[in-house]
């Protein structure tokens, strides 16, 4: 479980990718809908899985042992680990001699089908981003 106030090493990269997808979604809309643009940002393919190699290794190893590690996770996280696990099993069948940590490293550093985050996280990123770009003369 993630500890309160912990920050991943790729948080800035993830946020920039989400903002890019959000802006692209807004640009493509004829009638602007923030909610729809946020959902499109969430659903857009990501350049990688937003999880560290160490965390992915721990979770996948537990899954391989048959432990029920996913039952208390948020649905997005659960879907992400299920996808990583599916790819690990598939890769191990094709290449049984490759080490598990190498397989996991390769999988999480390759494109993911979506960001596996919530719409509320995108809105939070947008909110924080707006605070950063407010002109100085408007700040009290």
């Amino acid at each position: 479980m993630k500890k309160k106030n912990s920050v991943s090493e790729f948080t800035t990269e993830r946020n920039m990718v989400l903002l890019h997808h959000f802006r692209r979604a807004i640009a493509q809309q004829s009638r602007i809908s923030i909610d729809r643009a946020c959902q499109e940002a969430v659903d857009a393919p990501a350049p990688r899985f937003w999880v560290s190699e160490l965390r992915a290794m721990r979770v996948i190893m537990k899954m391989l042992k048959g432990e029920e590690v996913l039952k208390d996770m948020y649905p997005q996280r659960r879907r992400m680990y299920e996808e990583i696990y599916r790819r690990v099993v598939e890769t191990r069948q094709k290449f049984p001699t490759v080490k598990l940590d190498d397989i996991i490293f390769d999988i999480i550093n390759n494109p993911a089908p979506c960001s596996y985050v919530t719409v509320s996280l995108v809105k939070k990123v947008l909110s924080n981003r707006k605070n950063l770009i407010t002109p100085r003369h408007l700040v009290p």
Side-chain angles (χ1 to χ4, degrees):
M1 170 142 326
K2 181 178 151 183
K3 293 193 168 85
K4 186 177 181 182
N5 297 326
S6 68
V7 177
S8 298
E9 64 270 14
F10 50 75
T11 300
T12 303
E13 178 187 1
R14 180 202 64 201
N15 293 350
M16 295 306 291
V17 168
L18 290 171
L19 283 170
H20 169 76
H21 289 307
F22 173 82
R23 288 178 180 137
R24 189 179 65 203
I26 288 290
Q28 293 174 348
Q29 293 179 11
S30 59
R31 291 190 68 194
I32 294 178
S33 166
I34 299 297
D35 290 334
R36 190 173 64 222
C38 287
Q39 187 62 55
E40 288 181 32
V42 166
D43 294 339
R48 59 163 287 152
F49 286 89
W50 303 122
V51 62
S52 72
E53 290 125 25
L54 182 59
R55 176 69 178 149
M57 177 64 94
R58 287 179 180 157
V59 172
I60 297 302
M61 285 180 71
K62 287 180 181 181
M63 291 175 74
L64 289 169
K65 291 178 185 175
E67 294 181 31
E68 290 190 39
V69 68
L70 302 181
K71 67 180 179 177
D72 295 327
M73 287 187 186
Y74 289 110
Q76 298 82 4
R77 284 276 132 180
R78 187 179 315 116
R79 284 184 28 243
M80 181 189 72
Y81 284 116
E82 288 169 347
E83 176 64 19
I84 294 170
Y85 179 79
R86 185 191 65 73
R87 291 182 185 194
V88 165
V89 170
E90 184 179 285
T91 305
R92 286 180 96 187
Q93 288 174 348
K94 289 180 184 175
F95 307 101
T97 59
V98 178
K99 295 184 339 183
L100 182 61
D101 56 342
D102 291 335
I103 293 171
I104 291 174
F105 177 85
D106 187 52
I107 289 169
I108 67 169
N109 286 294
N110 274 298
C114 65
S115 289
Y116 297 105
V117 297
T118 61
V119 168
S120 61
L121 176 74
V122 176
K123 289 180 179 181
K124 182 179 175 183
V125 168
L126 288 169
S127 174
N128 291 341
R129 189 74 179 159
K130 280 192 257 181
N131 292 337
L132 292 175
I133 59 173
T134 302
R136 287 188 182 165
H137 69 278
L138 298 178
V139 177

